[in-house]
Amino acid sequence: MAADPFKARQQLRADLAELARRYVADHQGDELDGLAALGEDLLRLADCTEGRTSWLALLTRLQRLSG
């Protein structure tokens, strides 16, 4: 039985929200600093994909998706 893509996406969003809460908590509750640290780590991950993705491409895509 194949996994339901909608449920999988919901679980990923829940996992991401928990991760964001942990980053914020790690920065003494400062939401902006915590989310900035999470973003920085995501950008570093983009730079570690053997040249397939760049942080600039990630930021461009995020900007397009957010309107």
Side-chain angles (χ1 to χ4, degrees), residues 8-53:
R9 181 87 180 201
Q10 283 182 316
Q11 184 60 53
L12 286 171
R13 285 182 178 166
D15 293 346
L16 181 58
E18 176 59 27
L19 183 60
R21 280 191 288 276
R22 289 179 182 197
Y23 269 81
V24 170
D26 193 49
H27 286 84
Q28 291 72 41
D30 187 314
E31 190 172 278
L32 191 57
D33 284 347
L35 293 176
L38 175 58
E40 181 181 22
D41 285 348
L42 288 171
L43 292 175
R44 283 188 187 139
L45 257 170
D47 277 340
C48 294
T49 57
E50 299 173 11
R52 293 186 305 265
T53 307

